[in-house]
Amino acid sequence: SQQGEEDPQALSIQEGENATMNCSYKTSINNLQWYRQNSGRGLVHLILIRSNEREKHSGRLRVTLDTSKKSSSLLITASRAADTASYFCATDTMNSGYSTLTFGKGTMLLVSP
Amino acid sequence: DGGITQSPKYLFRKEGQNVTLSCEQNLNHDAMYWYRQDPGQGLRLIYYSQIVNDFQKGDIAEGYSVSREKKESFPLTVTSAQKNPTAFYLCASNGGAGELFFGEGSRLTVL
């Protein structure tokens, strides 16, 4: 079952602009994570935000979490062509006593020079 | 270097054949996972294992099998019972802090 849903599905911007991606989910979570995937490659973890946190920063990344609205956003500031990739949110929930991650369908980001 | 190694990177299979995808990690992680990714889709969980000799079905386990005889290894077999096996398969591990470490994936194509 798909827990997180990203919006928009695709985003095209110019270098230097900010990129904002949103994620909505349905059930209670332990934490929410964002990953990046370059075409044909594995996923790379970007940032984890716990259910009791509201905002987190890592370099040019800013993540917010609103548990009342069951939503999160990822902001990439001053984007670069190298940021071109797909970005996925993943929600960490307990499944039969084990923690598992459920991924959304992702947002494809294209940053043009 | 520490990480997850998947092999082969590309694999072709005739209908009716079983194939096994390899996943090895040297991160000393207990938990390992297999995900399937189809074009334009997110990742869907096939199987996961929290400790050696134990594993659980994920959301789409039908037509797949796994084993976990060693901590470092979590191979996935795609059986002939899987009706639509063409996909990108990703293996991952979790050291306990919550984040997943992924391999580079194996792309399976059924001819």
Side-chain angles (χ1 to χ4, degrees), chain B residues 34-84:
Chain B
W34 274 105
Y35 286 91
R36 169 180 171 141
Q37 186 178 31
D38 294 283
Q41 301 292 315
L43 280 65
R44 291 183 290 169
L45 184 62
I46 305 173
Y47 268 98
Y48 59 104
S49 168
Q50 299 290 330
I51 56 172
V52 174
N53 293 323
D54 187 42
F55 48 83
Q56 288 75 41
K57 293 181 179 180
D59 297 321
I60 56 165
E62 185 175 351
Y64 300 97
S65 66
V66 293
S67 63
R68 187 82 187 277
E69 297 176 0
K70 299 187 300 182
K71 187 175 186 177
E72 303 80 18
S73 179
F74 191 39
L76 173 74
T77 296
V78 184
T79 74
S80 57
Q82 171 50 239
K83 298 307 177 188
N84 186 21

Side-chain angles (χ1 to χ4, degrees), chain A residues 33 35 37 41-42 98 101 104, chain B residues 35 37 42 50 98 100 103-104:
Chain A
Q33 303 178 32
Y35 288 80
Q37 183 182 35
R41 306 290 298 274
Y98 296 111
L101 281 187
Chain B
Y35 286 91
Q37 186 178 31
Q50 299 290 330
L100 295 188
E104 287 297 301

